[in-house]
Amino acid sequence: MRPRSTTDTPAAPPAGRQLSRRQYVRFAFYKLDPAWRRLPEDEQAAQKRELSSVIQNFNRRMLLRPYSTVGTRADCELLLWQITESPLVFQELATALLRTRMGSYLQIAYSYFSQTKRSVYEIRVGGADSSEEEERLVIDPSEAKYVFVYPFIKTRDWYQLSKHTRQGVMDEHIEVGKKYPSIRLNTTYSFGIDDYEFILAFETDEPADFLDLVQELRETESSRYTLQDTPLFTCVNLRLDEALDTLGGPPIAEALAAGEARESWVEVCPLADLAPGQARTVFLEGKMVGVFNIKGEILAINNRCSHARGPLCEGTINSDECSVVCPWHYGKFDLRTGAAIDGVVKKPVETFQTKIENEMIWVGTKLL
Ligand code: FES
């Protein structure tokens, strides 16, 4: 990615708010041919490592989260949730996976292709912050243990209702959703680009809350207008090596003691390619990280603003203050600590380790 030029002078807020492009999203569910489980164990382990390495390589170019559906669904076993700004990367990843030895045993059981966009309805109940609308443009998966993938289609009668009537129905629907704060909703849209209309991904640590939410939504007016909302997928959030181990064969995941975190590093770019006052992004462990050169010091924070996921690397950098101002609503963050220091932002953003080795910039997970 090209580094963005920034100035050290805090700019006056631009006349028009800068908005990120929509993101493309793919939910690819795989099923493993049982013949693979009869291969020699050393071959199974080698194939899992090869597959893991290919996926990790793409993890630098897109946001990619692995989940297992082993034990929750019979017809698929592995989900790769992929988020990027160019759908062509999905094709490159799919092709690279097919070229691996294990790829010849993997079948795509389900595939859903969608995009983020603003809702046509106002989220206006329960004192909702208007920033929720902008959050919808950016998927930023949490660390929740489960994601429930929920593709659905509404009836054509729904679209014949007046906008005012639909808004009223959605108000009731949204009101019910707000009773379940443990559930985080990611809404994506598939009109015309895939078979469904909406692909929802609900993240939570509490499957019981999700069950209760869906049951309660069945009693709302909006449920009358659902044409199809199956299949449904209960997916367990795991590290990539752990997810591959659920498929069978000898374990390749490093065993970690309880509470122990694993350090993970990713190469960013040559130091010479990130001039002072510039920033760029890199993906690390399913997160988009913003990497900043502040007078020669390399600093890294989560690129998604804690307010509504604005892209901090596209903000205004102040090298003297070691801060960045979010381009969406001008919240300010300290680049060393990630602290929210001014404006609408209240919560800090995550910080990451950085190092320079052989004139190359690296970013790593921060161990607590
Ligand atoms: S997204 Fe609102 S201040 Fe960053």
Side-chain angles (χ1 to χ4, degrees):
M1 179 179 289
R2 243 180 319 165
R4 176 185 178 277
S5 294
T6 54
T7 68
D8 282 355
T9 310
R17 197 189 287 161
Q18 302 169 44
L19 294 177
S20 265
R21 289 186 293 269
R22 293 182 190 181
Q23 294 179 311
Y24 289 92
V25 180
R26 184 172 188 233
F27 298 87
F29 291 89
Y30 293 89
K31 172 89 180 156
L32 187 62
D33 184 335
W36 183 86
R37 299 194 175 94
R38 295 189 284 277
L39 294 175
E41 286 206 341
D42 55 349
E43 178 65 18
Q44 290 173 331
Q47 289 195 14
K48 284 198 286 187
R49 288 201 181 90
E50 181 194 22
L51 190 74
S52 170
S53 155
V54 168
I55 295 171
Q56 278 173 351
N57 266 334
F58 275 87
N59 215 351
R60 294 170 189 180
R61 299 176 54 196
M62 65 165 85
L63 211 158
L64 203 164
R65 285 287 185 97
Y67 296 81
S68 175
T69 54
V70 170
T72 60
R73 258 197 93 90
D75 54 359
C76 60
E77 292 159 324
L78 178 71
L79 161 64
L80 295 179
W81 183 6
Q82 304 158 46
I83 301 146
T84 180
E85 293 192 352
S86 164
L88 299 180
V89 188
F90 297 149
Q91 192 172 56
E92 288 179 46
L93 171 62
T95 305
L97 294 181
L98 291 176
R99 288 191 179 129
T100 62
R101 284 171 292 167
M102 199 163 169
S104 63
Y105 293 92
L106 282 174
Q107 296 158 359
I108 295 257
Y110 298 95
S111 171
Y112 302 104
F113 177 50
S114 56
Q115 259 196 334
T116 58
K117 64 172 284 196
R118 287 164 176 272
S119 173
V120 297
Y121 306 107
E122 288 176 47
I123 301 172
R124 62 186 182 193
V125 292
D129 185 333
S130 63
S131 62
E132 286 186 26
E133 281 308 290
E134 277 153 6
E135 276 186 14
R136 285 171 168 266
L137 293 172
V138 177
I139 303 285
D140 185 23
S142 70
E143 299 304 325
K145 192 65 191 164
Y146 300 92
V147 66
F148 296 88
V149 180
Y150 194 119
F152 80 99
I153 304 174
K154 294 190 92 70
T155 64
R156 292 295 164 96
D157 286 348
W158 168 255
Y159 298 101
Q160 299 309 313
L161 298 176
S162 70
K163 176 87 188 297
H164 178 76
T165 303
R166 281 184 280 153
Q167 179 68 58
V169 173
M170 288 309 295
D171 285 350
E172 180 197 19
H173 183 93
I174 293 164
E175 187 82 66
V176 171
K178 286 187 178 295
K179 287 160 69 177
Y180 296 88
S182 68
I183 298 171
R184 193 169 185 251
L185 169 61
N186 301 282
T187 303
T188 63
Y189 300 78
S190 281
F191 291 87
I193 60 172
D194 206 345
D195 294 350
Y196 285 78
E197 293 177 347
F198 303 89
I199 312 295
L200 309 183
F202 297 86
E203 297 176 87
T204 184
D205 289 323
E206 302 293 342
D209 287 356
F210 182 65
L211 186 153
D212 293 347
L213 167 66
V214 174
Q215 187 174 9
E216 193 168 342
L217 287 172
R218 289 286 196 273
E219 296 168 13
T220 61
E221 182 71 9
S222 67
S223 186
R224 286 178 189 275
Y225 296 99
T226 299
L227 180 65
Q228 185 182 347
D229 58 358
T230 55
L232 284 168
F233 303 88
T234 298
C235 314
V236 181
N237 183 5
L238 293 172
R239 295 192 332 241
L240 177 59
D241 49 6
E242 291 171 334
L244 294 181
D245 281 345
T246 66
L247 301 177
I252 60 165
E254 274 174 52
L256 297 177
E260 187 188 355
R262 192 178 54 163
E263 207 172 57
S264 175
W265 288 88
V266 66
E267 199 176 82
V268 181
C269 66
L271 181 57
D273 288 356
L274 189 68
Q278 289 189 332
R280 64 195 301 161
T281 56
V282 68
F283 293 101
L284 174 67
E285 296 281 314
K287 290 180 183 155
M288 186 185 262
V289 179
V291 187
F292 298 79
N293 184 336
I294 303 298
K295 299 183 176 181
E297 183 182 4
I298 304 299
L299 298 165
I301 59 174
N302 192 322
N303 191 50
R304 293 301 175 196
C305 176
S306 58
H307 179 234
R309 307 180 192 170
L312 295 179
C313 264
E314 295 172 27
T316 303
I317 299 169
N318 182 331
S319 293
D320 291 333
E321 195 182 52
C322 197
S323 67
V324 65
V325 173
C326 176
W328 281 9
H329 315 100
Y330 319 119
K332 190 189 282 188
F333 294 92
D334 183 304
L335 284 167
R336 269 198 198 90
T337 64
I341 52 176
D342 198 14
V344 293
V345 288
K346 301 282 179 264
K347 289 186 272 182
V349 287
E350 190 179 0
T351 57
F352 296 83
Q353 302 185 78
T354 63
K355 65 182 179 185
I356 296 166
E357 274 182 9
N358 301 323
E359 295 301 304
M360 188 66 76
I361 299 171
W362 291 76
V363 165
T365 45
K366 191 145 192 167
L367 300 183
L368 301 175

